[in-house]
Amino acid sequence: MDVISSRKRKAYSVAFKLQVVEALRLSPRPNISQIAIRFGVDRKRVREWNNSYDKLRLIVDAKKKDRKKVQFVRQVRSQEIEDGVLNYMKEQLNLGVSVKNKDLQHKALEIAHAIGLLDFKASNMWLYRWKKRHNIKLGNRENRRQPYHFQQQLNQYSGEFWGQIINLHQYGELNYAPPISSYLQVEQQPYIYGQF
């Protein structure tokens, strides 16, 4: 009873069966025992699959014909909405404003009402497909840039700050104190032995 319960039936894919049979047929000296050991199956299975090779090949060929990928492309309802929302997003990014999904949906509704499509709904699925059509991924750093003038000011401030730190290190004097310097000053207390 233990022997029967320990054995489990295994289901093998048609592709795996073909792989085993082709390995058997392509080997210089076909040996069912070696192929069975190499693929971890019973010798009986290898013999059965070898005898039904033609049937297996027909099954694989039929599946390949059925699996021809048919792409369903939903027609765009209005090219004006597509282009308008894309142009809006590009303008906002050029200004350095972060663009959110709700902003795009509101803009799409605004354009739809302007052209007379009152039944248009800028749903989450519409937005998902629109982003997929235009290869847009919101949420990454590229789409959430800071304005150019902000970056300039930040670079200028950080350059001045690090320049002053270098002066302090080399000459021991600080000509420009950043606003945070008051928090960095530490008063030296005399150390008394045994006091914590």
Side-chain angles (χ1 to χ4, degrees):
M1 194 97 167
D2 293 332
V3 174
I4 295 172
S5 64
S6 65
R7 294 179 117 190
K8 293 183 180 178
R9 291 187 65 140
K10 293 184 180 178
Y12 299 102
S13 68
V14 177
F16 177 75
K17 293 175 185 179
L18 274 177
Q19 183 183 4
V20 171
V21 173
E22 287 172 353
L24 175 69
R25 291 184 174 198
L26 292 175
S27 62
R29 287 189 196 173
N31 187 340
I32 291 177
S33 296
Q34 288 178 352
I35 295 295
I37 291 170
R38 189 167 112 192
F39 287 97
V41 294
D42 293 335
R43 289 178 299 170
K44 182 180 178 183
R45 298 288 164 252
V46 177
R47 279 193 299 274
E48 287 175 356
W49 297 340
N50 189 26
N51 293 336
S52 61
Y53 177 76
D54 294 331
K55 289 179 184 177
L56 294 173
R57 176 57 60 198
L58 286 173
I59 292 171
V60 168
D61 291 342
K63 283 185 179 181
K64 284 182 180 177
K65 287 179 183 175
D66 291 340
R67 285 186 182 175
K68 285 184 180 174
K69 193 171 183 179
V70 179
Q71 286 188 346
F72 174 72
V73 178
R74 184 181 294 264
Q75 289 185 345
V76 176
R77 183 138 184 222
S78 169
Q79 194 61 40
E80 293 176 30
I81 295 174
E82 294 280 314
D83 296 338
V85 174
L86 186 62
N87 291 336
Y88 168 76
M89 190 188 83
K90 287 180 180 178
E91 289 171 3
Q92 294 300 311
L93 291 177
N94 287 338
L95 293 173
V97 178
S98 65
V99 181
K100 297 178 183 172
N101 289 335
K102 288 188 177 188
D103 299 335
L104 297 174
Q105 288 172 314
H106 286 296
K107 188 63 176 180
L109 285 173
E110 182 183 312
I111 295 169
H113 287 292
I115 62 174
L117 288 175
L118 301 177
D119 61 336
F120 175 78
K121 295 177 182 162
S123 64
N124 290 335
M125 187 52 73
W126 172 85
L127 183 64
Y128 168 77
R129 290 184 181 130
W130 177 84
K131 290 195 290 188
K132 194 171 183 181
R133 281 191 295 271
H134 297 284
N135 196 20
I136 294 171
K137 296 174 183 160
L138 292 179
N140 57 11
R141 290 181 182 176
E142 186 177 308
N143 292 336
R144 295 187 181 218
R145 294 190 295 231
Q146 296 295 333
Y148 177 70
H149 59 86
F150 176 77
Q151 287 292 339
Q152 273 185 326
Q153 290 174 353
L154 183 64
N155 291 341
Q156 179 183 359
Y157 174 75
S158 64
E160 290 175 5
F161 177 74
W162 288 112
Q164 294 300 321
I165 294 295
I166 290 169
N167 282 344
L168 178 65
H169 178 67
Q170 288 177 349
Y171 304 110
E173 49 186 60
L174 185 63
N175 297 331
Y176 170 76
I180 200 166
S181 66
S182 60
Y183 297 109
L184 297 176
Q185 294 175 358
V186 178
E187 294 181 15
Q188 291 185 345
Q189 298 283 333
Y191 177 74
I192 302 174
Y193 181 75
Q195 184 180 7
F196 297 102

